[in-house]
Amino acid sequence: MKLNSKIPSGNIQQKWDNYKFSAKLVNPNNRKKFDIVIIGSGLAGASAAASLGEQGYNVKVFTLPDTPRRAHSIAAQGGINAAKNYKYDGDSIYRLFYDTVKGGDYRAREANVYRLAQISNQIIDHCVATGVPFAREYGGLLDNRSFGGAQVSRTFYARGQTGQQLLLGAYSQMMRQVAAGTVNIFPRMEMLDIVIKDGKARGIIARNLVTGKIERHSAHAVLLCTGGYSNVFYLSTNAANCNVSAAWAAYKKGAGFANPCFTQIHPTCIPRSGEHQSKLTLMSESLRNDGRVWVPLNKGDKRKPSEIPETERDYYLERIYPAFGNLVPRDIASRAAKRMIDEGRGVGPTGQAVYLDFRDAIKKQGVEKIKEKYGNLFDMYYQITDENGYETPMRIYPAPHYTMGGLWVDYELMTTIEGLFALGEANFSDHGANRLGASALMQGLADGYFIISSTLPNYLANASFSKADIGDEEFKEAENEASARVRKILSSKGSKTPAEFHRELGDIMWNYCGMSRSEESLKKALSLIPRLKEEFWQNLKIYPNEDFNQTLEKALKVADFIEFAQLLVKDALERKESCGGHFREESKTPEGEARRDDENFSYVSVWEYAGDKKEPVLNKENLQFENLKPSVRSYK
């Protein structure tokens, strides 16, 4: 596998401008000759469809839900970063670049991260122009708040529903192009495979989730905007439909999968309450602006929080990390919470939680001001827990959330398959080993609105295309393979449901490859997952109807999760260092913090599929740091 990152020449401030000037363009009259398939309708997919439709390309958008507005992007509640420096507190494009590279524990590609910081300001201007109702100060200027991993206020927000408002903005722009005739939307459709012809991605095989019909769609390029894979842990903050299947299909067709072990554990989630749950709920990181995290000073203290005096409370993030306090990055806050609970100082009925307390903020600002900032989040917490967060501290615990790993892409967002692009959380490129809060929305919109609209035309103008017809042999073979897999699952006559297998996989992944990992635990996982895979194909219980069949949908996703889990664990075992969200017990400081090994692991792990019965091949993209020298990541 050849890994050419295609990073442009020039200093880092000029690379993106140099690229855009040297990139080839497609004549406006020729754009209607090109067909583009987009998989996914979240922020990356909807904004890409809007921008490419605006340019005049023929765009097809395939989405799992009944409407693109149900994409999981709405769950990113807290805000979106940009280096506007509206607070005059020392922010700049370079500081946003620095914070993002440092926050990712120096495991991201510098050029991509700097471009993201540059584009951040354009995103805000564009979203305001399209009607996104960002919060404003008394004088009418856009307001900002802080997020983890930064000492400046650079996060723009719309109360506690920023993702939803940004998605509605992108959706409205996409629907404008639907009305203009450049974009067609295919709801309730799932991509089963990618069609490769002459070494290029030339279309997809998709299944209609209502009728069960398998369809062929040709294209000159395919864009995967399918989000992350945290549901490999079963319980996560992701929507139940989030999956790895599209990325996994691409991997099996030759796309490199980068850093699959880089998974993020979010510190502010509502704790697990029992075996009945099918997902966990995220409480936005924005709450850490005003909420203070604490546990009882003494082990085993079962008193109500109101009964524990100030002198017997340990505000441990403020104590351990005085420079950042409650706004340390997510991986740092999550591991600190785990240490408190391992010491026996956890709270709540299960002892698997810490407090997030708004008492002091309410005293200082008043309850109405807190409601103005976070009201819908408090309402959500009440609906789930039947507890009033204004009157008693919220209980939170870390849970699987975002995934920094994904399909390997070059500077143009193209995978190792020519003509196949990956945008947003589906690629690996911008966050290294840990994503800072409020950066997911930023990357999704940067990739969709501003990057792919420049890099895709360069590909289309330079590539030569033979005619691709859905009657071609390549389409027939891809459809036959996809149909055979569906039939194989439908023929299963076992006794365990897909959900039961998924739960078992999640237990393996969380227990042996979760918040902390060791060589022993990872080898244990690698011994258990193949057994689960074998049982899945021998003992799967399925309903045999071929049309509307949600059990079949679930089974297809779980089959891919089981296979992908092996790759994730292999990657975690191979990377014998701690960095960001990847924490190896053998590689930590005396204080229990992550310890990188820059000499041996300053690279991107890019895994290449070698067949079902062969071990995947590890390729490496060495990371070059010309502007930011890797240093000890300290938030003290």
Side-chain angles (χ1 to χ4, degrees), residues 77 135 206 417 425 536 541:
Q77 305 148 321
I417 298 175
E425 193 178 359
F536 176 87
K541 180 181 180 180

Side-chain angles (χ1 to χ4, degrees), residues 14-82:
Q14 297 173 328
K15 288 183 185 295
W16 181 227
D17 289 336
N18 289 348
Y19 173 86
K20 287 188 291 183
F21 182 75
S22 62
K24 288 190 176 182
L25 304 175
V26 177
N27 184 290
N29 291 327
N30 290 334
R31 294 172 191 168
K32 58 181 176 289
K33 299 177 183 177
F34 291 104
D35 299 318
I36 313 300
V37 161
I38 297 177
I39 312 300
S41 63
L43 280 182
S47 59
S51 60
L52 295 174
E54 185 75 43
Q55 289 182 349
Y57 296 100
N58 300 315
V59 180
K60 293 180 179 180
V61 178
F62 294 81
T63 182
L64 283 175
D66 55 348
T67 168
R69 290 174 296 170
R70 294 189 189 275
H72 185 61
S73 297
I74 66 167
Q77 305 148 321
I80 177 171
N81 286 332

Side-chain angles (χ1 to χ4, degrees), residues 80-89 91 124 134-137 141-147 152-157 289 373:
I80 177 171
N81 286 332
K84 287 285 193 180
N85 195 29
Y86 281 175
K87 295 289 187 181
Y88 302 104
D89 55 1
D91 201 10
I124 302 304
F134 287 118
R136 294 180 181 268
E137 295 179 330
L141 296 177
L142 298 184
D143 197 12
N144 291 126
R145 57 189 179 200
S146 299
F147 252 67
V152 297
S153 295
R154 63 161 67 103
T155 302
F156 295 78
Y157 65 97
N289 270 281
K373 292 180 180 178

Side-chain angles (χ1 to χ4, degrees), residues 181-227:
T182 62
V183 174
N184 285 311
I185 297 176
F186 295 79
R188 302 296 286 134
M189 294 284 286
E190 182 166 27
M191 191 198 90
L192 298 180
D193 207 354
I194 294 167
V195 179
I196 308 295
K197 181 176 181 180
D198 301 328
K200 300 182 179 69
R202 294 305 308 271
I204 65 164
I205 305 299
R207 180 176 179 271
N208 187 310
L209 298 179
V210 178
T211 67
K213 180 184 177 183
I214 293 180
E215 303 177 6
R216 308 172 187 177
H217 294 267
S218 64
H220 295 90
V222 177
L223 279 54
L224 296 186
C225 309
T226 51

